[in-house]
């Protein structure tokens, strides 16, 4: 039971941390979420399949 409560507290802190990050960011968006940002995930330089952003573009279109 102690382990279950500990896991719930840790998960609650993680969710609260993400909520604070969203609340504190202008527009409430996470930055750098496109896979095209990472040269390890996108070595060919293909556009993001979600928003169509190229790796050299600064901001997502959506």
């Amino acid at each position: 039971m102690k382990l279950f409560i500990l896991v719930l507290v840790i998960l609650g802190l993680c969710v609260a941390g993400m909520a604070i990050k969203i609340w504190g960011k202008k527009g409430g968006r996470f930055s750098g979420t496109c896979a095209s940002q990472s040269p390890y995930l996108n070595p060919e330089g293909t556009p993001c399949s979600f928003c169509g952003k190229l790796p050299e573009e600064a901001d997502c279109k959506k």
Side-chain angles (χ1 to χ4, degrees), residues 2 5 10-11 13-14 21 28 31-32 35 38 40 49 54 58 62:
K2 289 180 184 179
I5 292 172
I10 291 172
L11 284 174
L13 288 173
C14 292
K21 182 177 179 180
S31 59
S38 173
Y40 300 111
S49 62
L54 294 172
K62 289 187 179 181

Side-chain angles (χ1 to χ4, degrees), residues 25-42:
K25 296 283 277 183
K26 192 171 192 168
R29 306 181 104 204
F30 287 108
S31 59
T33 55
C34 288
S36 63
Q37 293 289 317
S38 173
Y40 300 111
L41 296 175
N42 188 8

